[in-house]
Amino acid sequence: MGKVVNVIIVGVGGQGTLLSSRVLAKAAMLNGFDVKMSEVHGMAQRGGSVVTQVRFGPKVYSPLIRMGEADVVLAFEKLEALRLMPYLAEGGRLIVNDLAINPLPVMIRAAKYPDQEAAAVKEQMKNSCFFNATAIAEGLGEPRAANLVLLGAMARYLDIPEPVWEEAIKATVPAKAQEVNLAAFKAGEKA
Amino acid sequence: MGDLMLGNEAIARGAYEAGVKVGTAYPGTPSTEIIENLSRYPGVYTEWAPNEKVALEVGIGSSIAGARTLVAMKHVGVNVAADPLLTLAYTGVSGGLVLITADDPGMHSSQNEQDNRGYARMAKLPILEPSDSQEAKDMVRLSLELSEEYDSPVLLRITTRLAHSQSIVETAEPSQVELKPYQKDAAKYVMLPVNARARHAKVEERRQKLEELAETIPINRIEWGDRRIGIITSGVVYQYAKEVLPDASYLKLGMTNPLPRRLIEEFVRGVETAYVIEELEPIIEESVRSWGLPVHGKDLMPRMGELSPEIIANRVLGETVSISHPAPAALPPRPPMMCPGCPHRGMFFELNRSKVVVSGDIGCYTLGASPPLSSMDTTICMGASIGAALGMEKARGKEFARKLVAVIGDSTFIHSGITPLVDVVYNGGTTTVIILDNRTTAMTGHQNHPGTGKRVSGETAPSLDLEALVRAIGIERVRVIDPLNVKETRQVLKEELAAEAPSVIISRRPCVLIDKTVRPPLAVDQEKCNGCTACIRTGCPGLELYEEKKVRINTQFCTSCTLCAQICPLDAIVEGGTANG
């Protein structure tokens, strides 16, 4: 029996983490794996931290990943990357959109954004990869497609073939947005 | 190959396949997607009812009229529907009726974490608990069949992690289920005391039959494994336990009321150490202990919040979490907040400024309680704002009411704000009620309601006239304002607070997320800005402080609502932003 792969996708409400997670879950299913995925709806989506968890493998029980057991944390924002680091397994991979969105306590100067801590992780942590997915998406003319750029960047570390990803994107994304989302995914793979 | 479905999608699919004709609900996280999905299937009537009590009453009528029926609500919604539910337990059904109760352990999006399995015991009803999406789909059909066979409504209890987790579901073709013939049966459906006494005897008979059923029903099953550890569990918690202890023995209970006593006795006697692992209340455990069986339960497990694989590993096996990559610092939290451009921000900015007591309610605007707006004194339940404001006035006098408002959303007002407003008028209250009318049920994801002019399906409906309604209740002072017009909001609020008469301010502007108008972002004239930060006190994500005391527009977020521009004492925030100005 193979191992279950654990992926955490985190971002700020409105960044499209849910769509990325759904594409990943769909791709894993199309590739023949059992899949479970836990989402967050409601209150938390109003600009709060949004965490989704995707697990796939021959047989998956829990929809929740245990702390210290994520193979990948894919973060759409730097502070959220730091927040979810404790979920990473030893040797787990941290993929980060090099973007800061100030949370409310920082906006009103009740707290400081952890710029230095993020920079230190970027420099020092093996298996970490920071890049500006938002800029890449803007380059494609659709800043909102940063979520698929990030997914593309993660795809190279997962054992799911390219055509399966494409099929999953086509099955998940509305028709009119498919072209730019496929382009974003491919741009992410090369990033 | 099946398809990935949320628990809620699977429930809708199950209802469709099992021939449900009528589905009713009031939106509430984590239940909302059930009716949204069911409304997309052909041949099923679905509706957003004004509240959960009405939703269940429509469901009761549908069932008595002979149709298979699904009613869905969040856990606290069952409190609202409890009155019809507890008597429906006596009348029983004609067409099968399943009531989905979507509980929220951990309070991801709720004001409490009550365990609605308690209702099953109180109402003497069967309750089923699925542990993944496939089971959720299958248990909808099973619930409807049991409902008809045992002449009882059936509760199907899900939790957030079931409702909002996706797993693979095999679908089937829908069954053709005919309406049952309508038969007048006053002894069964007219709950005069004389009839109700006879029906209570039927309920007791039913309870005993269901106890027998619980012993043999396949969803209550023993999975023998390593007999040193035996786990009795239900719902999604079963999955957490299997994750941690894949080789242990399990008694998986798909039906948790009534409980199968003999099956539980067999299981507990068949293992060295038995654990009851259940989220929130010790409902299974207390029964098991009352039968003199030795089990661990809440002596080890928390009685608050969600369970998780970590907690089970810790409490059963003594394992602690090993963290390879600790977070590098104490990090600022990222609480949810009002969206940039949210019309509520204009009203809450003024409420904060005028330092009034705010009797609050349930919706996106509850975020007005958070800094820097910090303008909410109470939030209890749907509709509580108006009655609570009247109570405050009656306790402290009319003077107190000159610095007191109730705030309530449009959907929440229709849900349960109308009767307390009647109370205000009837009993001489002079408080000001602000209806935050953003033309949608925003918090749960923009569902229609009787005031939006559309139904769940999107088809046009008559639109409830809030002004006419509150006037009919007897409110003479009715004002309609745009909350993003600062001057108007300030003036009207001042006048209505001062008036020694009950008043309603309808603060009307559509939710920024449904208003599709695209406007270029504003800009800060850096020559004029002196860094007073008045604008920052709106708490809008579209504004950024930089270099100690300079403000700029975050063009990614700014919707050009102009609230900050109206507040700026130096007129330094102007139209025509392009880059970060």
Side-chain angles (χ1 to χ4, degrees):
Chain A
M1 215 168 91
K3 183 187 165 308
V4 171
V5 177
N6 296 320
V7 177
I8 286 184
I9 299 184
V10 62
V12 176
Q15 280 193 299
T17 50
L18 199 52
L19 181 75
S20 297
S21 311
R22 287 180 172 185
V23 172
L24 168 59
K26 186 81 178 181
M29 188 194 81
L30 292 171
N31 207 40
F33 292 118
D34 188 20
V35 184
K36 282 202 174 138
M37 168 180 161
S38 174
E39 313 181 352
V40 175
H41 299 215
M43 182 65 106
Q45 285 184 302
R46 297 285 176 263
S49 305
V50 176
V51 182
T52 57
Q53 313 193 16
V54 183
R55 310 189 68 216
F56 57 92
K59 171 71 191 167
V60 181
Y61 290 111
S62 168
L64 297 182
I65 296 167
R66 292 163 80 168
M67 209 174 262
E69 296 196 351
D71 299 288
V72 182
V73 169
L74 176 65
F76 286 34
E77 198 276 346
K78 288 191 288 186
L79 166 55
E80 298 313 310
L82 303 185
R83 200 189 309 284
L84 272 290
M85 278 176 64
Y87 274 89
L88 270 180
E90 198 181 349
R93 194 166 289 279
L94 183 66
I95 303 171
V96 185
N97 188 16
D98 206 341
L99 169 79
I101 300 175
N102 287 341
L104 200 117
V106 173
M107 275 163 43
I108 60 173
R109 299 255 162 130
K112 206 180 134 301
Y113 192 92
D115 287 304
Q116 285 159 7
E117 289 83 354
V121 169
K122 181 177 176 175
E123 268 179 34
Q124 290 159 19
M125 187 183 150
K126 267 196 319 182
N127 285 342
S128 77
C129 157
F130 285 63
F131 76 107
N132 193 333
T134 308
I136 293 173
E138 276 166 3
L140 295 168
E142 182 47 274
R144 287 176 302 176
N147 56 353
L148 268 286
V149 175
L150 284 155
L151 190 67
M154 179 173 68
R156 73 186 96 164
Y157 303 111
L158 300 177
D159 193 15
I160 297 172
E162 174 84 20
V164 175
W165 284 109
E166 284 188 24
E167 197 185 339
I169 291 168
K170 284 178 185 160
T172 313
V173 175
K176 60 179 180 186
Q178 275 177 14
E179 200 177 321
V180 70
N181 276 295
L182 280 167
F185 181 83
K186 284 182 180 154
E189 285 182 305
K190 293 190 210 103
Chain B
M1 191 194 299
D3 207 355
L4 273 169
M5 286 190 192
L6 287 172
N8 284 349
E9 289 177 88
I11 286 169
R13 179 74 203 181
Y16 169 64
E17 289 180 7
V20 162
K21 288 267 185 311
V22 173
T24 69
Y26 179 80
T29 312
S31 70
T32 311
E33 301 80 9
I34 297 171
I35 287 296
E36 286 183 324
N37 281 284
L38 190 56
S39 73
R40 293 180 195 125
Y41 288 107
V44 188
Y45 167 81
T46 50
E47 71 166 45
W48 291 129
N51 67 31
E52 293 87 353
K53 178 174 184 288
V54 177
L56 180 55
E57 289 157 351
V58 172
I60 291 171
S62 158
S63 163
I64 292 173
R68 284 196 167 176
T69 303
L70 175 144
V71 184
M73 56 196 64
K74 68 182 291 172
H75 58 334
V76 288
V78 180
N79 302 336
V80 179
D83 196 0
L85 177 65
L86 276 275
T87 300
L88 172 64
Y90 281 29
T91 65
V93 303
S94 172
L97 188 148
V98 59
L99 172 62
I100 316 290
T101 167
D103 293 12
D104 190 16
M107 294 174 275
H108 295 273
S109 199
S110 302
Q111 67 269 37
N112 77 25
E113 56 179 346
Q114 67 188 48
D115 186 335
N116 274 8
R117 293 178 302 168
Y119 272 112
R121 177 163 299 187
M122 181 161 61
K124 303 192 241 201
L125 294 177
I127 189 165
L128 272 47
E129 295 191 72
S131 71
D132 62 21
S133 297
Q134 181 71 50
E135 284 188 6
K137 195 201 84 159
D138 296 344
M139 283 189 184
V140 171
R141 178 185 287 273
L142 179 61
S143 297
L144 292 161
E145 289 167 355
L146 291 177
S147 174
E148 288 169 2
E149 190 178 340
Y150 289 84
D151 191 9
S152 170
V154 173
L155 299 172
L156 181 67
R157 178 189 185 243
I158 59 173
T159 56
T160 301
R161 299 297 185 179
L162 186 291
H164 291 163
S165 289
Q166 300 202 24
S167 57
I168 297 170
V169 176
E170 299 289 340
T171 56
E173 288 303 306
S175 309
Q176 290 304 314
V177 179
E178 296 303 315
L179 283 177
K180 294 200 169 177
Y182 178 74
Q183 278 178 322
K184 179 170 173 173
D185 187 349
K188 180 162 154 53
Y189 295 121
V190 179
M191 285 301 94
L192 285 164
V194 60
N195 291 340
R197 284 183 204 112
R199 288 304 303 177
H200 195 179
K202 297 268 186 201
V203 172
E204 272 304 299
E205 259 173 52
R206 179 179 77 203
R207 190 178 59 76
Q208 285 163 20
K209 281 186 193 155
L210 285 164
E211 277 177 3
E212 283 308 308
L213 172 77
E215 301 288 351
T216 54
I217 192 167
I219 56 171
N220 289 342
R221 64 166 193 262
I222 292 176
E223 300 167 1
W224 290 120
D226 183 338
R227 297 215 182 198
R228 283 173 296 179
I229 294 180
I231 293 166
I232 303 172
T233 188
S234 66
V236 76
V237 178
Y238 165 78
Q239 308 288 358
Y240 303 158
K242 285 289 275 191
E243 189 71 35
V244 174
L245 297 150
D247 303 321
S249 293
Y250 283 84
L251 171 52
K252 181 182 183 302
L253 295 173
M255 180 157 90
T256 50
N257 193 63
L259 288 167
R261 180 171 177 170
R262 295 195 299 279
L263 194 66
I264 290 171
E265 283 171 346
E266 177 196 342
F267 183 74
V268 173
R269 296 209 169 104
V271 297
E272 266 177 46
T273 311
Y275 299 83
V276 178
I277 305 184
E278 57 190 327
E279 239 161 17
L280 299 174
E281 299 305 313
I283 288 180
I284 300 171
E285 180 189 348
E286 283 181 354
S287 287
V288 174
R289 284 184 188 275
S290 76
W291 301 325
L293 297 169
V295 289
H296 288 290
K298 296 298 170 187
D299 53 331
L300 301 174
M301 296 287 158
R303 198 170 169 163
M304 295 185 290
E306 291 189 288
L307 292 181
S308 65
E310 287 96 327
I311 292 172
I312 295 170
N314 177 256
R315 305 297 170 90
V316 177
L317 299 173
E319 285 179 9
T320 49
V321 172
S322 86
I323 292 175
S324 311
H325 302 279
L331 301 169
R334 190 184 298 275
M337 55 187 176
M338 286 179 190
C339 303
C342 175
H344 298 326
R345 182 173 284 106
M347 178 53 77
F348 278 90
F349 183 81
E350 280 310 308
L351 292 175
N352 175 276
R353 204 184 137 275
S354 52
K355 303 277 173 274
V356 289
V357 172
V358 179
S359 179
D361 225 298
I362 306 262
C364 281
Y365 50 91
T366 314
L367 295 170
S370 309
L373 297 167
S374 307
S375 292
M376 199 166 279
D377 293 61
T378 62
T379 300
I380 311 296
C381 69
M382 293 287 285
S385 58
I386 301 175
L390 178 62
M392 287 178 176
E393 178 178 354
K394 292 302 177 188
R396 301 193 73 90
K398 280 191 167 42
E399 271 312 296
F400 193 75
R402 302 287 69 74
K403 279 280 190 187
L404 167 68
V405 297
V407 296
I408 184 166
D410 46 341
S411 191
T412 309
F413 178 72
I414 295 165
H415 178 284
S416 49
I418 300 168
T419 43
L421 190 62
V422 170
D423 194 19
V424 168
V425 173
Y426 174 52
N427 285 309
T430 64
T431 187
T432 298
V433 173
I434 301 169
I435 302 177
L436 300 162
D437 182 10
N438 63 355
R439 317 300 300 153
T440 187
T441 316
M443 181 90 266
T444 46
H446 302 100
Q447 288 72 33
N448 282 308
H449 64 63
T452 65
K454 282 190 176 157
R455 303 199 175 102
V456 62
S457 53
E459 68 187 348
T460 307
S463 176
L464 179 68
D465 182 337
L466 288 177
E467 291 92 313
L469 173 65
V470 299
R471 283 204 178 93
I473 285 172
I475 301 284
E476 286 168 12
R477 302 183 68 97
V478 182
R479 310 286 295 269
V480 181
I481 60 160
D482 174 359
L484 290 180
N485 180 332
V486 174
K487 254 189 202 155
E488 182 187 41
T489 302
R490 189 167 297 176
Q491 183 60 29
V492 169
L493 193 59
K494 196 174 152 195
E495 288 169 16
E496 296 312 315
L497 279 167
E500 211 172 279
S503 63
V504 169
I505 301 173
I506 299 175
S507 171
R508 178 171 290 150
R509 181 178 267 260
C511 172
V512 66
L513 299 180
I514 55 174
D515 175 11
K516 300 286 182 205
T517 322
V518 178
R519 302 176 208 87
L522 299 174
V524 178
D525 182 339
Q526 298 293 345
E527 303 275 297
K528 282 189 186 170
C529 174
N530 71 353
C532 76
T533 70
C535 55
I536 295 294
R537 290 198 288 274
T538 61
C540 180
L543 293 161
E544 286 180 344
L545 274 172
Y546 71 109
E547 290 173 10
E548 276 314 298
K549 281 220 149 191
K550 300 290 268 180
V551 175
R552 63 185 172 200
I553 300 287
N554 183 331
T555 53
Q556 192 193 344
F557 293 129
C558 178
T559 67
S560 213
C561 78
T562 76
L563 179 67
C564 57
Q566 294 174 62
I567 286 160
C568 176
L570 299 168
D571 294 326
I573 304 177
V574 293
E575 281 180 18
T578 44
N580 222 351

